[in-house]
């Protein structure tokens, strides 16, 4: 049956919220937020973005909640399908880009199977924004002509899933959801031949005023990054060291920051 047969269905927009700073949502994403009847949003989408929505809109939080079971993907799918069935226009707001480790593909599959119309509005993924906000270009002429984005989430459990032989040859390796597995990631890369002197940067809370960057090498970063908070992105490769030179983002606590050799907070005292 065609989509037209279900014209009473609303439409679901999977909207990328960007990495944190509300100004990093796209113009299209902001327009859809202002027009939507229902906003279904994640933990990593900055809640400040809700101020862009219509006063009449309904807001449904589907991220992790302290002391409560998290909302399952099935429940999220159910909410999208039910609201669309009520004829609502839904903005499904996701951190970064909806198709980069955001389960956007799974949600589209469900919507497609029900013949519910949808659109995807790409967002600025933290895999690009976190390095950019730390002054780490992911490519650079003559130094890095490629970058690879992987998840560190499954590393502990599914050892065989990760193609380490391939990863050690990435010019710039960006690891999302990897801060908890940092010891395993560094160990595996070194074991598979990556130079322990390879620079590493960990960028926490990129584009928020609390952003922090920790710099080290594959061999030292585990000892240096002892109190990393979520969300954090790991950047591994020669270019990670560029942060020493190119960091530009000024955070609120810059004046209180001490800069040590091992732990560099990439803010400038104004
Ligand atoms: N779809 C998202 C990624 C979801 S996976 C995107 O495109 O950005 C969640 C991971 O993204 C986190 O574990 C972290 O590695 C990264 N991340 C998200 N927001 C971040 C931020 N503001 N700073 C640093 N890393 C971030």
């Amino acid at each position: 049956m065609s989509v037209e047969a279900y014209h009473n269905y609303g439409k679901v927009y999977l909207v990328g919220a960007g990495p944190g700073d509300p100004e990093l949502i796209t113009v299209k994403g902001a327009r859809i937020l202002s027009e939507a009847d229902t906003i279904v949003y994640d933990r990593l989408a900055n809640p400040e973005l809700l101020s862009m929505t219509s006063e009449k809109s309904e807001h449904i939080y589907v991220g992790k909640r302290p002391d409560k079971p998290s909302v399952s993907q099935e429940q999220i799918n159910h909410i999208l399908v039910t609201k669309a069935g009520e004829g609502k226009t839904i903005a499904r707001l996701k951190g970064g880009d909806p198709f980069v480790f955001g389960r956007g593909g799974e949600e589209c599959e469900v919507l497609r199977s029900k013949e519910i119309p949808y659109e995807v509005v790409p967002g600025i993924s933290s895999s690009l924004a976190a390095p950019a906000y730390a002054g780490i270009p992911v490519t650079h002429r003559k130094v890095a002509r490629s970058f690879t984005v992987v998840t560190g989430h499954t590393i502990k459990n599914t050892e065989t899933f990760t193609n380490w032989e391939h990863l050690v040859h990435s010019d710039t390796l960006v690891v999302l959801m990897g801060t908890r597995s940092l010891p395993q990631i560094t160990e595996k890369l070194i074991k598979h031949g990556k130079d322990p002197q390879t620079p590493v940067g960990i960028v926490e809370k990129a584009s928020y005023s609390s952003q922090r960057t920790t710099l080290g090498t594959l061999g030292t970063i585990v000892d240096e990054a002892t109190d990393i908070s979520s969300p954090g992105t790991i950047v591994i490769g020669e270019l990670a060291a560029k942060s020493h030179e190119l960091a530009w983002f000024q955070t609120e606590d810059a004046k209180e920051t001490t800069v040590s050799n091992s732990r560099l907070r990439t803010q400038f005292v104004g």
Side-chain angles (χ1 to χ4, degrees):
M1 209 176 281
S2 71
V3 171
E4 282 72 23
Y6 288 89
H7 54 81
N8 54 329
Y9 265 140
K11 187 166 186 177
V12 179
Y13 292 87
L14 279 85
V15 179
D21 179 345
E23 288 194 337
L24 291 175
I25 192 168
T26 61
V27 175
K28 185 166 185 173
R31 177 177 61 75
I32 288 162
L33 273 191
S34 72
E35 292 171 357
D37 303 307
T38 305
I39 320 293
V40 181
Y41 66 107
D42 276 348
R43 183 175 60 93
L44 286 175
N46 189 338
E48 278 183 36
L49 287 167
L50 297 175
S51 66
M52 292 180 181
T53 61
S54 134
E55 271 178 24
K56 291 173 288 175
S57 65
E58 172 191 23
H59 299 168
I60 305 176
Y61 178 66
V62 294
K64 281 192 189 127
R65 301 162 296 177
D67 308 324
K68 285 190 190 163
S70 41
V71 184
S72 69
Q73 188 59 49
E74 286 68 32
Q75 285 169 307
I76 296 171
N77 297 343
H78 181 73
I79 292 168
L80 297 179
V81 170
T82 309
K83 293 291 169 188
E86 292 168 9
K88 300 271 167 55
T89 298
I90 300 145
R92 170 73 178 105
L93 189 63
K94 289 169 172 287
D97 179 272
F99 275 7
V100 178
F101 301 123
R103 299 204 177 172
E106 290 172 44
E107 291 175 13
C108 286
E109 282 166 5
V110 171
L111 297 170
R112 177 52 57 97
S113 74
K114 307 274 184 199
E115 301 200 17
I116 295 170
Y118 61 84
E119 277 188 35
V120 181
V121 182
I124 299 180
S125 174
S126 56
S127 55
L128 296 175
Y133 266 72
I136 303 172
V138 288
T139 68
H140 200 65
R141 209 145 49 98
K142 298 190 181 142
V143 183
R145 292 201 275 191
S146 70
F147 61 95
T148 308
V149 180
V150 294
T151 169
H153 187 63
T154 48
I155 281 172
K156 272 189 197 162
N157 307 328
T158 50
E159 300 263 316
T160 49
F161 181 73
T162 306
N163 186 348
W164 295 102
E165 287 76 13
H166 170 69
L167 293 187
V168 293
H169 297 297
S170 305
D171 292 331
T172 306
L173 180 59
V174 181
V175 188
L176 301 188
M177 295 178 276
T179 51
R180 283 212 207 130
S181 322
L182 186 66
Q184 287 85 356
I185 293 167
T186 53
E187 186 205 309
K188 291 277 181 194
L189 288 172
I190 292 170
K191 201 172 132 194
H192 285 82
K194 196 88 179 165
D195 184 349
Q197 300 295 327
T198 307
V200 178
I202 301 183
V203 193
E204 295 160 76
K205 303 198 174 82
S207 82
Y208 285 94
S209 59
S210 50
Q211 175 178 316
R212 183 173 67 164
T213 305
T214 303
L215 298 174
T217 66
L218 216 44
T220 64
I221 195 75
V222 172
D223 293 330
E224 279 149 17
T226 48
D227 60 345
I228 298 295
S229 55
S230 175
T233 290
I234 309 168
V235 188
I236 302 165
E238 284 312 312
L239 290 173
K242 280 273 175 200
S243 182
H244 288 291
E245 187 190 327
L246 300 181
W248 55 272
F249 184 60
Q250 178 135 24
T251 62
E252 264 169 16
D253 63 347
K255 291 197 170 78
E256 294 159 24
T257 300
T258 44
V259 179
S260 75
N261 286 339
S262 64
R263 178 126 209 181
L264 181 96
R265 295 180 187 224
T266 51
Q267 301 96 342
F268 299 117
V269 176

